[in-house]
Amino acid sequence: MRATYLYGAGDVRVIDVPDPIIKAPTDAIVRVVRACVCGSDLHPYHSMTATPGGTSIGHEFVGIVEDAGAEVRSVKAGDFVIAPFAWSDGTCDFCREGLQTSCRHGGFWNSGEVGGGQAEAVRVPLADGTLVAVPVEENSPLVPSLLTLSDVYGTGYHAAIKAHVGPRTTVTVVGDGAVGLLAVLAARQLGAEQIILMGRHAARTDLGREFGASEVVAERGDEGIARVRELTGGDGTHVVLEAVGHMPAYEQAVGVVRAGGVISRVGVPQYDDAPVGFSSLFGPNITLTGGPAPARAYIETLLPGVLDGSVNPGRVFDLELPLAGIADAYRAMDNREALKVIIRP
């Protein structure tokens, strides 16, 4: 089969690899119907050192079950399934607490003998705990929105949930990528009364307004902080959802959060040290939270709105390419020519 491998910064290739096979009775083999490129994939795309053998990449996909191990009970051959970006058993204490990203027996795509989602097929360990069957056909117009449930919609929702967004909450979202825009959508669904989106790409922020943003702030740095403060009577917002992962975004978050507020980070941090001392977080009683979203925990909550059409998170996809063109997908997203690219194997 064909699969995407990263060989170093900027070096994305589609190569031939062995077809995945059942290795444990709890495995399933999923033929990928749609995958996509994630903003977090751009981090190794920028920085990975040259690796002669390359490494598989991709962690968001939906598809059709082709085969299932003898102990798999929740899905069967022919089922359309959503695969969250971490695989998990669904039975350990962390899974029962809704933290499948810390599953005692789970893991992440592209680790060990488990391949990546930007491929024609994937072996899914612990299929019963991981996969969610959905009663749709593979050519359904809902497929793009269902694909967002593998990561970005659940990640935006996780940001808002960890920050306890609710009615009478004011929210700033830092970042107008797919996660940031879906954090706007999640905050609106949870009842936030004011949502300020910090972003400077008009096509994206226009979609953010449609998802529920009440104001858009294009300025950055001190100017951006001052503008948010102006929009909130000088106080800042109760919640900041940081969906970028770079230090300037964290500094924006610290600058616009209200005393007693919450910063929820779901952009993968590209730094090890950040201000957490008296003047930044401790003195004003700021809570810092977030982390990798346990997307599997949120699928049943978010799925009904996708199926009944009341939400359309798949609108974050603005370009579709075949698997053979995935290098162009990376370039388009890296150059801000595309918001999020859907991949058709």
Side-chain angles (χ1 to χ4, degrees):
M1 72 167 193
R2 304 287 281 170
T4 304
Y5 271 57
L6 185 63
Y7 284 81
D11 188 359
V12 179
R13 310 177 200 174
V14 178
I15 66 170
D16 291 314
V17 299
D19 292 344
I21 59 172
I22 298 290
K23 294 187 176 183
T26 53
D27 287 350
I29 304 300
V30 173
R31 173 174 59 84
V32 176
V33 169
R34 292 292 185 275
C36 54
V37 178
C38 183
S40 63
D41 292 332
L42 297 180
H43 297 317
Y45 181 75
H46 290 154
S47 62
M48 180 175 163
T49 57
T51 304
T55 183
S56 65
I57 194 166
H59 55 265
E60 301 161 280
F61 64 96
V62 294
I64 302 294
V65 176
E66 295 279 273
D67 194 10
E71 295 180 12
V72 175
R73 298 290 180 265
S74 64
V75 298
K76 62 184 185 304
D79 283 348
F80 182 96
V81 291
I82 302 168
F85 70 83
W87 43 275
S88 54
D89 61 20
T91 59
C92 79
D93 51 340
F94 285 118
C95 286
R96 294 195 305 272
E97 293 166 11
L99 196 61
Q100 286 88 340
T101 47
S102 294
C103 176
R104 294 189 185 278
H105 307 107
F108 295 86
W109 312 115
N110 309 293
S111 60
E113 297 182 342
V114 180
Q118 294 167 7
E120 292 180 329
V122 180
R123 178 175 72 91
V124 178
L126 302 175
D128 279 335
T130 303
L131 298 173
V132 177
V134 183
V136 301
E137 301 295 326
E138 64 178 274
N139 59 355
S140 168
L142 295 177
V143 167
S145 287
L146 294 170
L147 179 57
T148 68
L149 293 172
S150 69
D151 184 350
V152 287
Y153 189 13
T155 295
Y157 191 77
H158 179 64
I161 287 292
K162 291 290 286 184
H164 304 292
V165 172
R168 298 180 300 280
T169 305
T170 58
V171 176
T172 298
V173 176
V174 180
D176 58 9
V179 171
L181 296 181
L182 293 174
V184 169
L185 176 62
R188 177 58 66 199
Q189 289 177 298
L190 293 168
E193 69 175 28
Q194 180 184 25
I195 304 171
I196 300 169
L197 172 60
M198 301 193 78
R200 57 173 51 184
H201 304 89
R204 301 180 180 195
T205 56
D206 286 348
L207 180 56
R209 288 186 185 276
E210 294 183 45
F211 279 162
S214 46
E215 293 94 9
V216 169
V217 171
E219 297 88 347
R220 294 182 178 176
D222 291 341
E223 291 184 1
I225 291 169
R227 180 59 179 148
V228 173
R229 294 276 175 182
E230 179 184 348
L231 290 169
T232 56
D235 289 338
T237 54
H238 297 104
V239 165
V240 183
L241 308 180
E242 194 276 276
V244 180
H246 290 290
M247 181 58 72
Y250 179 81
E251 292 170 342
Q252 293 283 113
V254 173
V256 302
V257 69
R258 188 178 189 270
V262 181
I263 297 171
S264 182
R265 300 181 306 166
V266 291
V268 179
Q270 300 303 294
Y271 51 85
D272 292 321
D273 300 311
V276 296
F278 191 93
S279 62
S280 57
L281 301 189
F282 184 83
N285 280 281
I286 305 303
T287 298
L288 181 63
T289 187
R296 179 64 185 83
Y298 302 126
I299 292 176
E300 281 86 357
T301 298
L302 300 175
L303 181 60
V306 171
L307 292 178
D308 68 21
S310 60
V311 294
N312 185 5
R315 295 180 66 193
V316 297
F317 294 109
D318 56 352
L319 179 62
E320 180 172 325
L321 291 172
L323 181 63
I326 198 165
D328 292 329
Y330 274 81
R331 281 192 290 269
M333 286 183 60
D334 191 41
N335 293 332
R336 301 295 189 270
E337 296 166 359
L339 168 58
K340 191 167 179 68
V341 185
I342 196 167
I343 299 299
R344 183 181 66 256

